[in-house]
Amino acid sequence: MPEGPEIRRAADRIEKQIGGRVIDDAWFVFPELAAQADSLVGVEVTAVDTRGKAMLIRFANQKVLYSHNQLYGVWKLHRVDQPPVTNRALRVRLETEGRVASLYSASDISLWESSELEKHPFLARLGPDLLSQQVTPEKVLARLTMRQFYRRSLGALLLDQGLVAGLGNYLRSEILFFAQLHPKQRPADLSDVQQMQLAALIVEITRQAYRLAGVTNAPAWIEQAIAAGESRRQWRFAVFDRAGLSCHRCGDIIERTMVGSRRLYWCPACQPDV
């Protein structure tokens, strides 16, 4: 499933396609949305932003189109006279000035008044978004030390969108590796310095993944990995998806385990179980 950086980059592309333009035609496959399609015609798209893995298309009349791609949803951008060739099922089509943003295969789609959006059952459970809101390391630190998070293992906590929105599986492994923390450790087990470092890395690595299209590795380690013949799938990460390969930092062998029914990669030497 795409994580926060991938959804934020998709939002950027959609905003470039239809942002600041007036909707000429809106189409929805679901009847309850189709009945509201006319409310968007003639209305400007004011912004496209994200909350975690949810997409929010905002309109000048204070309507907000919420969508969550889940596993299979995908937005395709095209000209009105050049529809994409695909076997996917069309769910949403927004047309403006000959440009079209089409959503395929997703099922979690709804239209909200802006003033009511925070009542959405998914959005109401989310922490602050690392890419669409002004989230500082200090704000993340404050959340790490909240009672509901403070004594939870980091391997589970970093997938909880209630902590901060936008983290996912590859980011979890990368953050813990750079912080040199074992997934069984808890915020409560860390020193003040370790807590602050973890908070800073949560922000830094997520934003790097956004800027560099999913690349979280350090430049020097990328050079070494490319020279060793690694594929992009491997060199883009410092530790994720590198089971059996050498750790960039210490040379030990990267291991894979399962935490929360999801793959987690770690270095036993750099991230000891203390």
Side-chain angles (χ1 to χ4, degrees):
M1 180 184 292
E3 301 182 19
E6 289 71 41
I7 300 300
R8 179 64 258 183
R9 289 175 68 88
D12 291 347
R13 293 191 293 271
I14 294 169
E15 186 159 28
K16 184 176 180 180
Q17 179 83 338
I18 63 174
R21 296 179 169 85
V22 171
I23 295 295
D24 297 321
D25 186 58
W27 179 90
F28 299 96
V29 71
F30 301 120
E32 63 274 19
L33 290 175
Q36 303 179 69
D38 287 347
S39 70
L40 302 181
V41 176
V43 180
E44 180 184 348
V45 177
T46 57
V48 182
D49 59 31
T50 58
R51 288 289 303 279
K53 300 171 187 179
M55 185 87 68
L56 305 173
I57 301 179
R58 299 181 182 272
F59 299 89
N61 63 354
Q62 302 306 305
K63 298 281 188 181
V64 182
L65 180 62
Y66 166 96
S67 63
H68 194 301
N69 286 358
Q70 298 171 310
L71 284 175
Y72 303 110
V74 61
W75 284 93
K76 292 183 178 290
L77 309 178
H78 55 95
R79 299 290 303 177
V80 67
D81 57 348
Q82 297 176 335
V85 178
T86 178
N87 291 324
R88 291 175 175 268
L90 181 62
R91 306 300 195 191
V92 177
R93 185 180 184 276
L94 300 175
E95 178 186 335
T96 175
E97 299 178 16
R99 299 165 175 251
V100 182
S102 297
L103 176 58
Y104 291 85
S105 302
S107 58
D108 189 4
I109 307 165
S110 51
L111 193 62
W112 291 74
E113 295 291 339
S114 178
S115 60
E116 298 290 311
L117 189 61
E118 292 304 320
K119 297 179 182 178
H120 187 287
F122 175 73
L123 298 180
R125 300 195 304 268
L126 296 181
D129 187 278
L130 293 165
L131 298 172
S132 290
Q133 297 176 307
Q134 298 300 315
V135 182
T136 64
E138 289 74 18
K139 289 181 180 178
V140 176
L141 176 61
R143 296 192 68 77
L144 284 169
T145 55
M146 292 172 68
R147 184 170 61 181
Q148 63 264 46
F149 304 129
Y150 194 53
R151 298 189 182 279
R152 292 180 58 190
S153 69
L154 293 172
L157 180 57
L158 293 186
L159 292 185
D160 186 341
Q161 300 296 293
L163 175 68
V164 288
L167 295 185
N169 207 37
Y170 80 80
L171 288 171
R172 171 179 67 166
S173 291
E174 295 293 282
I175 290 165
L176 290 175
F177 173 75
F178 280 104
Q180 296 184 252
L181 298 174
H182 191 276
K184 290 182 181 179
Q185 289 180 277
R186 309 168 301 167
D189 301 325
L190 310 181
S191 67
D192 291 348
V193 171
Q194 287 176 310
Q195 289 178 3
M196 189 67 242
Q197 182 185 40
L198 174 61
L201 285 169
I202 287 172
V203 175
E204 176 186 330
I205 292 175
T206 302
R207 292 180 178 168
Q208 177 180 326
Y210 163 65
R211 292 193 311 271
L212 302 181
V215 175
T216 53
N217 204 355
W221 291 346
I222 290 174
E223 290 183 13
Q224 294 173 3
I226 291 175
E230 292 185 17
S231 65
R232 184 184 186 279
R233 180 179 177 180
Q234 294 173 321
W235 63 249
R236 63 179 279 204
F237 299 124
V239 65
F240 187 79
D241 220 7
R242 290 179 50 81
L245 297 176
S246 298
C247 172
H248 292 300
R249 184 189 286 121
C250 73
D252 203 354
I253 301 301
I254 300 299
E255 295 187 7
R256 166 181 161 163
T257 188
M258 299 294 289
V259 178
S261 301
R262 307 285 298 280
R263 295 178 295 152
L264 187 146
Y265 297 81
W266 62 297
C267 173
C270 294
Q271 300 166 261
D273 184 2
V274 293

